[in-house]
Each structure stands twice: as C-alpha cells, then as structure tokens.
Amino acid sequence: MADLIGADLATRTLPLSGFHGGSGAASLSAAAPATRLSLRAKPDAVAALSLALGLSLPTRPKTSASSHGRHALWLGPDEWLVIDENGADMMGAVASSGTLHSATDISHRNTAVIVKGRGAEVAINGGCPQDLSLGIFPVGACSRTVLGKAEVVLFRTAEDTFRVECWRSFAPYVSGLLNEAAEDAGN
Amino acid sequence: MLLIYCPYCEEERSELEFRQAGDAHIARPTNITELTDEEFEAFFFLRDNVKGLTYERWRHLNGCGRFFNAARDTVSDKFVTTYKAGLPKPDISTLRPATEATVETYEATESNAK
Ligand SMILES: [Zn+2]
C-alpha cells in the first residue's frame, strides 16, 4: 500500500472543458464547475432549509431565488435544484438544518452550457418546446424540460442569457444540438 | 402540438414533457391477499378502453415530475380538464363547453385539438 503514497491522483475531467461554440446571435460556452444539490422536502421544512442555505427556497412554479452566486431553482412542489457557483459545501449546510429532507450531491452528475445573445431563445427553442419570450419566461425563471431527446433544466440569468443544465453523459448531445440551433438562430 | 395543462406547474406545456400512466381512479383493494385470481385479474389487468371520455393518470415527467389526473376524449385526443392527484372525478357536464358537438372522428377535430 505504501506504493500508493505519492502516486498521481486521478484528475477529474469536465465533460465540456474548453467548449465554445454557437454563432454571432447566440454564443455557447461551458459553465464553470459548481456544486449542486438535488433537494426534496415537504412544506414544513422549507423555512429551516432556506435559513440553512441562506436564501428563500421558491415555492411558486418556474421561479428561483439567488444570493451570492447560489441559486435555488423550483423544479416541482417538493423539489429544488440548488447550484453554488462558488463551490460551497451545501450538503453540510442542509444537514445541519434539523429538518426531514432528502439531499443528494449532484455536482458532477450535471454540467451546464451558457447560451448568450439576442438569438439565445431561438437557439434553445431549436430543441425545446417551451415559450421562452420574456413575458412568459422572465429573468430568474427556471424549468425542467426537454431539449430534443435530453432532459434539461433551463435558468434565465439575464434577458439574453440562459444556463442550460444537463446530465454530463448528455453533454455532447446537448451542446451539439445547441450549436446547430445557434447557427440557425443567426439567420 | 398538443398542450397539456399541468395543475402543479399551473400552465400549459407541450405534450413532449408528459407521459400517460394508465387509468385513473383504480382503487387498490385493501384485502389484496384474499382476492381470487379472477378478482385480482379484474383489478390489475381489465380496463374499459372506452371510446370517448376517459379518466387517466398522467405524469409531468420532464417537468415538475408530478402525477396528476386528466379527463380526456379518446376520439379527439382533447383534454377536457386536468386535476391534482387525490381529487375526486370532476363533474364533466359542468366543464364541457356547451357549444361543442359530440366528436365523431379524429379528423373532424384535428384542426382545433389542443
Ligand atoms: Zn408540472
């Protein structure tokens, strides 16, 4: 066993490391690594979990809450995707909340593509049937939905910017489909 | 594209986000170990497969993930209404638009199917 000391540790490879694509209308880039939680809880635990996470878990469909690079996205009546862009230990935070809940660290199950530009809506609509116009899907709106044959979570971070979360094994498909649609969005 | 109103997301979404999940309002027997094979067959396998109004479970699989129920016309594919799981069958006579004639064929309503 002593031989293992000093051996090279495996380096984690990001599924979309260095990825850039898209068009002048909608640019694509890989989101920076982040920590992520799949969080499920009943209504009576929401207040304590919110306190532990430092933001108010949203309870209305398609809404999110953000604070200092941490984002809680409503996925369902008892389910949230929590993303921390600073890589904070959120599992520890919710474990200390003293409430009955289910939290799973999915930091490395998911990866994300940032879609930005005047054609961002059109690019995502290349594979997603949701109405992404600003009135229906405003800044801060989020939703689990489909992109072609892959499940994704959309999060609108600015009028012209979306974060598209997908499972890492779908990343080549999702980024490829978005790339095609982004080129079409420029026409 | 068919749009389905999700009672949990409180808006219409594309059919692509949903999966049908069989008949609704099938009560699971409380004495299931005492059933005869015939009674179990009737509960577990036998369905009416009606032409016209039917009550079904649906799941917003690629959305909020929730199961809910729908009253749907199997001829026109039109959703009459959707409602949260656990609620009783709604009174359809009060929901059906009075102006709408009985649907006979899929083709007759394809143009206004939602
Ligand atoms: Zn839903």
Side-chain angles (χ1 to χ4, degrees), chain A residues 161-172:
Chain A
T161 310
F162 292 83
R163 181 184 182 97
V164 182
E165 288 267 329
C166 68
W167 290 31
R168 65 179 289 144
S169 56
F170 286 92

Side-chain angles (χ1 to χ4, degrees), chain B residues 66-102:
Chain B
R66 282 298 170 124
F67 284 90
F68 59 92
N69 293 331
R72 191 176 67 91
D73 191 311
T74 57
V75 180
S76 64
D77 279 343
K78 188 180 182 68
F79 281 78
V80 180
T81 189
T82 57
Y83 50 103
K84 289 183 177 178
L87 294 180
K89 276 187 189 179
D91 182 0
I92 296 305
S93 61
T94 62
L95 289 167
R96 217 161 211 178
T99 53
E100 202 155 323
T102 307

Side-chain angles (χ1 to χ4, degrees), chain A residues 19-30 113-117 119-120 123 174-186:
Chain A
F19 169 73
H20 282 280
S23 63
S27 69
L28 307 179
S29 58
V113 179
I114 307 296
V115 185
K116 183 176 169 58
V174 167
S175 56
L177 182 58
L178 284 173
N179 203 35
E180 290 276 337
E183 282 174 24
D184 292 345

Side-chain angles (χ1 to χ4, degrees), chain A residues 21-48:
Chain A
S23 63
S27 69
L28 307 179
S29 58
T35 45
R36 300 171 174 90
L37 278 193
S38 169
L39 182 64
R40 303 199 64 166
K42 296 262 170 66
D44 61 2
V46 167

Side-chain angles (χ1 to χ4, degrees), chain A residues 68-159:
Chain A
H68 302 103
R70 181 174 291 183
H71 314 282
L73 282 52
W74 187 98
L75 295 187
D78 62 357
E79 185 179 4
W80 297 266
L81 170 63
V82 194
I83 303 168
D84 191 298
E85 296 184 276
N86 301 314
D89 172 25
M90 294 189 289
M91 286 295 279
V94 294
S96 65
S97 67
T99 59
L100 183 64
H101 65 275
S102 157
T104 307
D105 188 330
I106 54 162
S107 305
H108 303 285
R109 184 197 74 181
N110 278 24
T111 191
V113 179
I114 307 296
V115 185
K116 183 176 169 58
R118 62 180 165 80
E121 286 174 24
V122 177
I124 294 169
N125 277 147
C128 174
Q130 280 207 29
D131 186 345
L132 300 178
S133 57
L134 261 177
I136 303 293
F137 206 97
V139 176
C142 58
S143 176
R144 183 158 50 193
T145 181
V146 291
L147 188 86
K149 295 186 182 301
E151 180 176 279
V152 297
V153 173
L154 299 181
F155 178 33
R156 188 174 212 143
T157 54
E159 286 197 8

Side-chain angles (χ1 to χ4, degrees), chain B residues 54-67:
Chain B
T54 186
Y55 296 86
E56 299 170 320
R57 300 168 77 223
W58 281 74
R59 188 179 180 205
H60 196 182
L61 181 70
N62 301 115
C64 64
R66 282 298 170 124
F67 284 90

